[in-house]
């Protein structure tokens, strides 16, 4: 591990806005803020919003700045990435943003039922070959339903045509209430303060002429038998994913 990463990890341990609970620590210690994020972590009674796979934290920070009436938590397992957003929160003394370093597969262990109002999933890997790892798959929707209030909002912002179409079909198949649906966000006139935030990766894809897609829907309580998984064998695969991604560090 390079000296720069070691320095970032050491600095993050001093950041009050960061909680680090990888699987091993979660199993051995549990999580002290489960059910008490508002009272004990943010110390303010505000609705709670998560960004999953937050990367460098641009979206979490941007959302917090644009809406002081809610609290925002960015979740990612990559500590060296979270460092950038966390440092901004510390330096600018942003009181309604924090970061959780943890595996998203364990996300339901950090919140009690109904504790979270809204989710943002921003530019995740579309996982075209691995449905179970897709952050909008029925596997993950089932996890989210354990802590998202019934009717809570899930937002997907993506550059992937495949993930957009897969999620659109899933939403339609399950009869979820759709709040926003566009395959060209910036050409649709739908842009607002929350969707106008551009991440590092988003800027890269926009510079290559790719359009940004947005789906927002309400996730109901999980029905008996679970959510329905759509067919995907006829969804065209993204043909530009082979391009080298820029280094996010």
């Amino acid at each position: 591990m390079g000296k720069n990463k070691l320095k970032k990890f050491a600095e993050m341990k001093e950041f009050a806005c960061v909680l680090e609970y990888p699987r091993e620590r979660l199993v051995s210690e549990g999580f002290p803020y489960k059910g008490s994020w508002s009272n004990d972590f943010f110390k303010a009674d505000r609705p709670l919003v998560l960004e999953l796979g937050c990367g460098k934290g641009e979206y979490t920070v941007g959302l917090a700045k644009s809406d002081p009436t809610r609290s925002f938590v960015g979740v990612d397992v990559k500590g060296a990435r979270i460092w950038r957003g966390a440092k901004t929160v510390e330096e600018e003394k942003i009181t309604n943003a924090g970061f959780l370093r943890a595996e998203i597969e364990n996300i339901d262990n950090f919140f009690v039922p109904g504790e979270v109002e809204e989710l943002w999933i921003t530019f995740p890997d579309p996982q075209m070959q691995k449905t179970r790892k897709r952050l909008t798959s029925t596997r993950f929707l089932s996890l989210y339903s354990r802590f998202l209030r019934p009717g809570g909002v899930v937002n997907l912002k993506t550059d992937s045509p495949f993930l957009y179409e897969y999620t659109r079909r899933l939403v339609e198949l399950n009869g979820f209430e759709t709040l926003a649906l566009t395959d060209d966000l910036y050409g649709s006139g739908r842009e607002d303060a929350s969707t106008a935030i551009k991440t590092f990766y988003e800027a890269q894809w926009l510079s290559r002429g790719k359009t940004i897609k947005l789906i927002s829907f309400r996730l109901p309580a999980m029905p008996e038998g679970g959510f329905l998984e759509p067919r995907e064998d006829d969804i065209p695969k993204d043909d530009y994913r082979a391009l080298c991604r820029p280094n996010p560090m």
Side-chain angles (χ1 to χ4, degrees):
M1 185 179 294
K3 290 183 179 180
N4 193 37
K5 276 191 176 182
L6 289 173
K7 181 181 178 181
K8 289 178 179 179
F9 283 133
E11 192 170 4
M12 280 219 307
K13 292 185 183 301
E14 304 300 319
F15 288 164
C17 67
V18 178
L19 299 171
E20 299 189 74
Y21 279 82
R23 183 179 291 103
E24 296 78 9
R25 185 180 182 191
L26 179 63
V27 170
S28 64
E29 300 180 17
F31 185 69
Y33 296 105
K34 185 175 182 179
S36 64
W37 279 88
S38 292
N39 291 335
D40 296 337
F41 185 75
F42 287 109
K43 303 187 187 312
D45 187 15
R46 297 184 292 248
L48 190 62
V49 180
L50 306 186
E51 183 196 0
L52 302 180
C54 69
K56 297 169 72 174
E58 307 106 308
Y59 228 90
T60 297
V61 171
L63 288 169
K65 286 182 175 182
S66 69
D67 187 356
T69 68
R70 300 195 290 175
S71 297
F72 298 87
V73 179
V75 183
D76 206 297
V77 73
K78 300 290 187 180
R81 293 180 183 176
I82 288 177
W83 171 87
R84 179 60 269 171
K87 192 168 181 66
T88 299
V89 168
E90 294 287 324
E91 290 178 342
E92 298 185 15
K93 301 186 187 321
I94 300 171
T95 60
N96 65 327
F99 292 91
L100 173 63
R101 184 186 174 205
E103 294 90 350
I104 294 176
E105 288 83 354
N106 297 320
I107 192 65
D108 57 317
N109 292 290
F110 296 96
F111 307 92
V112 297
E115 191 170 10
V116 177
E117 178 182 79
E118 186 171 2
L119 296 178
W120 280 90
I121 305 171
T122 52
F123 302 95
D125 188 323
Q127 297 289 350
M128 288 183 285
Q129 306 302 326
K130 300 177 181 179
T131 303
R132 281 180 54 80
K133 290 192 173 184
R134 212 169 289 154
L135 292 185
T136 56
S137 68
T138 57
R139 174 199 176 199
F140 277 98
L141 291 185
S142 297
L143 287 181
Y144 308 153
S145 71
R146 296 176 188 174
F147 58 83
L148 192 66
R149 66 174 177 81
V153 177
V154 177
N155 307 285
L156 170 69
K157 197 177 182 188
T158 181
D159 55 283
S160 166
F162 173 86
L163 185 61
Y164 172 78
E165 178 59 19
Y166 163 82
T167 306
R168 187 196 67 77
R169 293 187 186 190
L170 185 150
V171 168
E172 181 178 319
L173 179 64
N174 286 277
F176 299 154
E177 180 185 352
T178 304
L179 304 177
L181 181 69
T182 175
D183 62 359
D184 185 5
L185 175 61
Y186 300 119
S188 69
R190 169 64 177 75
E191 184 180 355
D192 55 27
S194 61
T195 58
I197 302 163
K198 293 183 175 64
T199 69
F200 176 88
Y201 281 137
E202 181 174 3
Q204 293 294 319
W205 297 125
L206 284 170
S207 72
R208 294 172 179 174
K210 306 304 177 184
T211 60
I212 304 304
K213 300 96 171 64
L214 173 72
I215 298 181
S216 299
F217 58 93
R218 294 192 184 280
L219 186 67
M222 186 169 61
E224 186 175 348
F227 298 117
L228 301 175
E229 189 75 38
R231 285 184 54 193
E232 59 183 78
D233 52 0
D234 61 341
I235 302 177
K237 299 293 192 292
D238 298 348
D239 60 0
Y240 63 92
R241 283 281 163 179
L243 291 172
C244 293
R245 278 182 172 270
N247 189 337
M249 305 302 289

